Amino acid sequence: TVICACYLNVSSDLITGMSDGSLLLWNNKTNSKYVLDAHKGPITALCIVSDSTSSTNTNTNNSSSNNNSSSLVSGGGVNTNSLFVSGGNDGIINLWDGNQLTKIWHCDIKTCSHLSVLPKISALSARDNKIIFGTKGAEIYEIDRITNDMFCLVQGHYGSNNELWGLTPIHDTNRNNNRFISVCDDQYVRIWDGNSKRCLNSVKIQCKARAITTTSNGTQIAIGGMDGRVIVLSATDLNTQLANVVISKKWIQCIVYSNDSQLLAVGSHDSNIYILDTKTYSTKAICKAHHSYITGLDFTLDSTTLQSTSGDYELLFWDANTGKQIKSPSSVQNVLWANWSLPFGWPVQGIFPPNSDGTDINSVDRSLLYDSNIMNSTNKSTAPSSSYNKDCLLATGDDFKRVKIFRYPCIKEASKFKEYKGHSEHVTNVKFSNDNKYLYSTGGGDEALMQFEIKYAKTKEK
């Protein structure tokens, strides 16, 4: 079976890569040459090499180069117009002379210093002495075939049947960083820097996961797993696990720390909310009143009260220390919520488009509402209206592949919004950065992370 093909530069000759690892050279619809076992397994990518390589040499002294490499300079016996590169599921990249179908250089990416999470080649491009290749682990690398130096250009989450849901900014006390964390069904936790747009660190955990949060000082990362597990990592060393406990038989969709970081609330698909004591990460209380899976959780600024929503559109309130339901909504109507991530409630009434149901909005997030005086105050139960951020925004991610931004609060039906496209699948999560300058989003099936810059009106001070 033919997996890939490319034409040589100087002729109509065609090279095909086969599912059994063979290379075939075709001329006028006739197979003129072939190489059996050119790769161990399917050849997944082929490309020609740019003509500008005619003035270069290969380095035969590097351990990952073929000892029989030929000179690539003009007159070295190799027609540079016939060079092509192949890559396969074996993680090997080969450079070939297309006229003779002979291998003149190779590199095994499984043995390189930059270890791929899934070293199978999915795409190739070659120019000058550089080869750029993509892997099935959602990575793009560049390798210099003279020095064999390799650089990682892009990393991401991967897997054809996986989805990306978990997203959180890294909190800190001065709210002055543009870093965030993601977790995916591929079992990888990744820390990202929004300024350089690069992955700073990553670690593979024991289970698929779709929920993640950090403490208010950004030192601990809590992850909710698809197996009902809660994993807590050190933010400074992702390889250090601070806790690993199974609390539910169903998967965890939402997870959040209290503002004082003393409690961790975990929303499960068993319809329960588990409140953990962060000193030991043991279960302190279980909130039982919802009739469907938990979709959102928020603490008050003083960490005493919790609100939650579920798949059947219930909005309930809880005593965060005892787990008992607060059955009088009027008793919490004036409390200060540390964040608002729920799709239901008074301040988010206007986010739903016409004729939609409660499941069309997958994620909600509010930008920073309170100034530093409230955040640093010992009394976080009340605050004057003058301390509120007048430019507070509300973001949503929906099943229609859209990211939307509203003014907060959003209480009028059919409220005005700004809409942003980019994801090719449903938007599973949206989060504002700590400094309110950016908005991050995740796509479910496309497993993409996007960053939007927020531009405020020039007449308003920031």
Side-chain angles (χ1 to χ4, degrees):
T1 303
V2 177
I3 303 297
C4 52
C6 73
Y7 283 100
L8 296 181
N9 276 328
V10 295
S11 68
S12 60
D13 290 351
L14 178 71
I15 301 292
T16 57
M18 313 302 288
S19 60
D20 64 355
S22 301
L23 274 175
L24 279 67
L25 174 63
W26 301 84
N27 182 268
N28 295 326
K29 300 182 181 180
T30 302
N31 177 215
S32 57
K33 291 185 178 68
Y34 63 87
V35 177
L36 298 177
D37 299 323
H39 285 266
K40 296 179 181 177
I43 298 175
T44 52
L46 290 170
C47 75
I48 57 172
V49 178
S50 168
D51 291 347
S52 58
T53 59
S54 59
S55 62
T56 60
N57 283 289
T58 53
N59 182 351
T60 62
N61 296 324
N62 192 284
S63 59
S64 67
S65 298
N66 192 311
N67 290 331
N68 296 321
S69 296
S70 302
S71 171
L72 297 186
V73 294
S74 179
V78 176
N79 185 345
T80 56
N81 288 327
S82 67
L83 295 178
F84 72 94
V85 182
S86 66
N89 276 352
D90 56 2
I92 293 176
I93 299 172
N94 293 324
L95 177 68
W96 302 84
D97 172 14
N99 290 329
Q100 303 300 321
L101 216 55
T102 54
K103 182 168 59 177
I104 57 178
W105 177 89
H106 84 281
C107 178
D108 186 348
I109 68 170
K110 299 188 297 296
T111 63
C112 294
S113 57
H114 291 273
L115 294 179
S116 169
V117 298
L118 189 58
K120 296 181 178 182
I121 309 300
S122 58
L124 286 166
S125 181
R127 184 175 182 180
D128 298 328
N129 299 319
K130 305 295 177 64
I131 297 173
I132 294 179
F133 62 93
T135 73
K136 292 186 177 179
E139 304 151 318
I140 298 176
Y141 292 92
E142 180 184 82
I143 188 168
D144 187 315
R145 59 185 176 83
I146 302 300
T147 64
N148 285 304
D149 292 332
M150 191 166 81
F151 306 93
C152 182
L153 304 177
V154 176
Q155 292 173 286
H157 293 285
Y158 68 96
S160 58
N161 296 318
N162 292 337
E163 291 198 8
L164 172 59
W165 287 45
L167 177 67
T168 184
I170 298 180
H171 302 291
D172 61 16
T173 54
N174 60 16
R175 293 186 172 269
N176 191 28
N177 74 69
N178 184 20
R179 294 184 178 184
F180 55 99
I181 315 174
S182 60
V183 68
C184 178
D185 289 351
D186 64 4
Q187 300 180 226
Y188 272 89
V189 177
R190 295 185 178 275
I191 297 180
W192 304 88
D193 179 68
N195 295 327
S196 64
K197 300 174 181 61
R198 296 183 67 87
C199 178
L200 302 178
N201 200 358
S202 66
V203 68
K204 189 172 184 178
I205 57 176
Q206 297 96 319
C207 59
K208 296 181 178 182
R210 295 186 175 183
I212 192 167
T213 188
T214 71
T215 51
S216 57
N217 60 9
T219 59
Q220 296 185 19
I221 305 167
I223 302 144
M226 296 289 285
D227 61 354
R229 181 190 310 268
V230 172
I231 298 173
V232 182
L233 306 177
S234 167
T236 55
D237 180 10
L238 293 183
N239 292 306
T240 300
Q241 282 197 6
L242 305 177
N244 188 327
V245 57
V246 176
I247 63 170
S248 172
K249 294 182 179 180
K250 298 289 185 69
W251 68 279
I252 295 166
Q253 182 167 334
C254 47
I255 188 169
V256 63
Y257 277 103
S258 59
N259 193 52
D260 61 9
S261 301
Q262 298 300 306
L263 302 173
L264 177 67
V266 182
S268 171
H269 270 234
D270 66 3
S271 305
N272 293 330
I273 301 166
Y274 300 84
I275 300 178
L276 309 186
D277 184 336
T278 58
K279 293 180 180 179
T280 60
Y281 285 98
S282 58
T283 301
K284 181 177 183 178
I286 302 178
C287 306
K288 298 181 178 182
H290 278 293
H291 300 89
S292 186
Y293 57 92
I294 311 303
T295 58
L297 295 167
D298 291 319
F299 278 97
T300 51
L301 267 182
D302 60 10
S303 304
T304 62
T305 308
L306 182 71
Q307 66 174 352
S308 60
T309 54
S310 57
D312 57 355
Y313 317 147
E314 286 182 319
L315 171 60
L316 302 181
F317 304 94
W318 313 87
D319 184 304
N321 290 303
T322 64
K324 292 183 178 180
Q325 183 183 358
I326 300 173
K327 296 185 178 182
S328 174
S330 61
S331 65
V332 295
Q333 64 180 355
N334 294 320
V335 301
L336 304 182
W337 296 103
N339 189 25
W340 195 286
S341 64
L342 310 186
F344 309 112
W346 179 82
V348 296
Q349 297 175 74
I351 65 174
F352 286 93
N355 304 316
S356 65
D357 61 32
T359 64
D360 292 330
I361 304 293
N362 299 314
S363 180
V364 176
D365 195 48
R366 185 189 69 192
S367 65
L368 182 64
L369 177 61
Y370 311 111
D371 65 14
S372 58
N373 293 326
I374 302 177
M375 301 303 294
N376 298 327
S377 172
T378 55
N379 179 16
K380 294 183 172 63
S381 59
T382 59
S385 58
S386 60
S387 298
Y388 292 171
N389 175 15
K390 300 304 188 294
D391 290 328
C392 188
L393 302 174
L394 190 73
T396 66
D398 60 38
D399 281 342
F400 311 110
K401 313 173 189 178
R402 302 293 190 264
V403 173
K404 295 180 180 179
I405 294 183
F406 302 81
R407 286 288 182 183
Y408 181 89
C410 178
I411 58 177
K412 293 183 180 180
E413 186 177 353
S415 292
K416 293 182 179 180
F417 59 85
K418 289 187 178 294
E419 179 181 85
Y420 303 93
K421 303 176 183 178
H423 287 286
S424 63
E425 291 286 348
H426 55 294
V427 181
T428 53
N429 213 331
V430 288
K431 294 293 181 184
F432 285 96
S433 63
N434 266 333
D435 55 11
N436 279 7
K437 295 180 179 179
Y438 301 95
L439 177 70
Y440 318 121
S441 65
T442 58
D446 62 21
E447 297 173 87
L449 282 159
M450 293 192 179
Q451 177 178 263
F452 301 86
E453 183 179 3
I454 301 172
K455 295 184 177 180
Y456 296 90
K458 294 181 180 180
T459 57
K460 298 181 180 180
E461 296 182 359
K462 292 286 116 196

